[in-house]
Amino acid sequence: MVANARPALRQDSRPDGVYTRDDHHGDSVLDADVVIVGSGAGGAALAAELAEGGLDVVVLEEGRYWSTRDFTANASQMIRQMYRDGGATMALGSPPVLYQEGRAVGGSTVVNGGMSWRTPEKILDRWWREAGLDGIRAADMEPYFERVERRIHVRTQDPESIGRDNQLLKIGADAKGWKVIPNLRNQVHCPGSNNCAFGCPTGAKQSALVSYVPRALHFGARLYSDVRVERITRSGKRATGVVGHVVRADGGRGHRLTVRAKLVVSACGAIHSPALLDRSGFRSPSGMVGKNLSLHPNVKLVAIFDEDVRGWEGVHQAYQVREFQDEGLLFAAVNIPPSIIAMTTSHTGRELGELMADYDKMVIAGMLCEDTNTGAVRTVAGQPQAFYQLSDFDADKLKRGCALLAEMMFEAGAKRIMLPFALGDHAGELRGPDDVRRIFADPVPKSSMEVVTVHMMGTARMGSDRTRAVTDGFGLVHDVDRLMVCDASLFPTPIGVNPMETIQALATRAAHHVLENPRRFS
Amino acid sequence: MSGYQHAPATRRVLDSLVPVVCPPEAVELGLVADIVDHVGLTMGALPGRFRGGLIMGLRTYDLGALIWPPGRLRPAHRLAPALAARYFDTWLHGPTPIHKQLALGIRQLIALAHYEQPVIQERMGYRPAQWIEQVKRRRLELYADDIERHARSLIEPDPLPGIAPHPRARTRTKGVA
Ligand SMILES: Cc1cc2nc3c(=O)[nH]c(=O)nc-3n(C[C@H](O)[C@H](O)[C@H](O)COP(=O)(O)OP(=O)(O)OC[C@H]3O[C@@H](n4cnc5c(N)ncnc54)[C@H](O)[C@@H]3O)c2cc1C
Ligand code: SF4
């Protein structure tokens, strides 16, 4: 066993400080001030801040290290490489909810859409009021948001990057007189290649992979990719490190890696952090580990126009329709490759061919819904399994959202619209604005709704009361010494906007707390 | 990735399902084997228990046709195209949620594989790689200075308020992906 082993590095495209599966030649043991499990939105931001503050940081990441030049428009290959379980993970319920998580250095930020929004003020107020969190209101968070926005370069799009699909969405919203705003995204002159979900091939998107990770490495952090952490080690009430193994190319278990650290951080995301805590035997007095799962259920409809749209030419989600934000609904245009559209329609054979012949005339409009129900993540044979039941209230909200969105797209000139649910016994298809009322007139079986999500939150929620929350306001697990959670698990409630910036701001705030209290963590 | 490869029995059923799920061009262009290979790649990335369920489901689907009266004691992979489509439909519309989920899953895998075929994308005029190259070049031509400025800022010291730059802070140089 080697303490602080520095395996000989192969000098290829990898930056200094990144170690991959090829660098392990036996079991090893490392020592560090801080070990962070997961290199996504939360883990990478925390690593960069703590490393700059002078701490010796080790980051362990189950996914691979890919670089900008690896990212292509080959959607299914990218999904197999960078999404956990090929992007086909399911929260069980009726309807089941398909959810997606990135598994790569940079976590889900590598495959996300780059929308970068601050937590709405009313949500922060709610967290302050209901979860008893101090220093979390908008004025307190301002410097952290500002710092994150500087780091990941949050801006609106250059006009030339906006494609026809987004223009049509805006035309529809303007015609209805609805509030529509330019989206804020973490990008440096994104030229609109429309490949965000498969890795940004231009390097414009400031995912953690090209922002926080290089910064963390620059300040001396070490990052081990292809390492899956199995459990957190402990001595009494104190977390002392982690044990994991190298993930071999065939997915099998490779050498064992142990890290001993003064502070242990779980930043595995809202599905895997509760599973790691559970596997490691941490029982919260709140009983809330894995509970309180919110999802921002998401549905999309396909609007077909007479004109050429070529939705893949131009950035996705250049705008958000915010007219119904108070009801918890956001709308945006989100182009999707033909293979994934074909996958999600109900057509087969010749009919499928006819539908897809119009692919270049499609606008895919999606909607995010701030949900009111919560689900849970349970550990089954060491693996997390999510359970989530869409409430009738939220199902009605999604139906209403689809009706509004359909009205808007017809206003923009759509000729027909494919819905994400059946109308009665038939595939949901609307042939004109007069058809929209069928969404309410015809029965819509909840089980027929095609619900997906990429925003899992809340499974180790923060709060001042140890009997109701898993962690304190900085993510430190109640009743355990030196164990922190730093990811989307921390949210006490859903936030109704895209979560990445909130996670990064909370991570920055947590880093500040650690650096301001060096004795507590030395 | 699991290194998964279809067993011959699985491949046979999938071969027979391609003409049912895909537009006629799949057979006309001789794409059946490529599509089924692609389904294999996707299945290889699925969670093991999910993949196991699919394989078992495909087997049940194949043998289930033996007791489907119009099938006249033939397994699904030996049904004539029109009959194969009817048999698939009986799964897609019931009789239990399990039948339906399996049929949906299979349809999704095959449809995905069909539209991932380069020749199909080319026929649709869907050429994202060309577009990416074009805008990537334009970005570098127009905005090189801003891009460079931000890349530099990523490694400039910027300590959190009240936190002195740490004497132990080390720096490396080669860090951008
Ligand atoms: C397709 C997609 C589009 C999205 N679009 C947007 C958007 O536009 N804007 C927005 O704000 N949000 C978006 N999101 C959501 C956002 O990216 C996530 O909420 C955010 O990245 C979550 O951060 P996290 O730190 O909780 O987890 P992640 O970023 O998911 O990182 C967790 C990391 O931990 C690793 N890990 C897990 N378990 C282990 C283990 N046992 N050992 C080692 N490593 C482990 C994972 O491999 C992963 O890399 C999107 C997400 C997806 C998937
Ligand atoms: S649209 Fe912009 S941010 Fe997204 S992948 Fe293309 S260049 Fe990158």
Side-chain angles (χ1 to χ4, degrees), chain A residues 21 36-40 59-66 81 84-85 101-107 223-230 245-248 251 267-268 272 279 383-384:
Chain A
R21 60 168 72 105
I36 300 175
V37 187
S39 65
V59 182
L60 304 178
E61 167 57 53
E62 183 176 350
R64 292 234 76 187
Y65 180 86
W66 304 100
Q81 287 176 349
R84 185 177 291 280
D85 295 335
E101 305 166 278
R103 181 175 54 189
V105 171
L223 190 153
Y224 290 77
S225 68
D226 315 300
V227 171
R228 175 177 151 80
V229 170
E230 266 129 39
H245 66 262
V246 174
V247 182
R248 293 196 322 240
C268 302
H272 288 267
R279 281 202 299 273
Q383 295 302 318

Side-chain angles (χ1 to χ4, degrees), chain A residues 303-460:
Chain A
I304 303 175
F305 288 73
D306 266 350
E307 60 170 294
D308 266 5
V309 175
R310 299 175 72 82
W312 65 95
E313 295 184 351
V315 66
H316 87 151
Q317 301 200 43
Y319 302 106
Q320 274 185 354
V321 179
R322 290 274 179 123
E323 182 71 16
F324 305 97
Q325 189 175 11
D326 287 345
E327 293 178 41
L329 288 171
L330 298 186
F331 306 150
V334 285
N335 188 65
I336 296 176
S339 53
I340 297 179
I341 292 288
M343 213 177 136
T344 54
T345 68
S346 54
H347 298 62
T348 51
R350 198 174 293 280
E351 265 186 18
L352 176 63
E354 281 161 14
L355 174 74
M356 293 306 295
D358 281 337
Y359 176 68
D360 57 352
K361 298 183 172 52
M362 290 177 182
V363 175
I364 293 104
M367 132 186 17
L368 175 160
C369 162
E370 186 179 330
D371 42 345
T372 54
N373 208 5
T374 56
V377 176
R378 301 205 188 103
T379 317
V380 181
Q383 295 302 318
Q385 174 61 58
F387 297 84
Y388 184 88
Q389 187 51 55
L390 183 72
S391 68
D392 290 343
F393 180 80
D394 291 340
D396 283 346
K397 194 151 78 173
L398 288 173
K399 261 170 59 177
R400 171 170 152 72
C402 283
L404 293 165
L405 201 44
E407 272 177 27
M408 191 180 90
M409 296 318 290
F410 280 128
E411 196 74 46
K415 297 298 168 211
R416 60 191 177 117
I417 287 178
M418 321 296 300
L419 295 169
F421 41 72
L423 288 176
D425 287 339
H426 301 283
E429 184 174 338
L430 309 176
R431 292 273 171 177
D434 291 344
D435 265 3
V436 173
R437 76 174 91 92
R438 285 178 47 213
I439 294 180
F440 301 107
D442 294 1
V444 174
K446 196 159 79 170
S447 61
S448 80
M449 287 187 155
E450 276 173 29
V451 185
V452 299
T453 184
V454 290
H455 296 174
M456 292 73 73
M457 302 160 278
T459 49

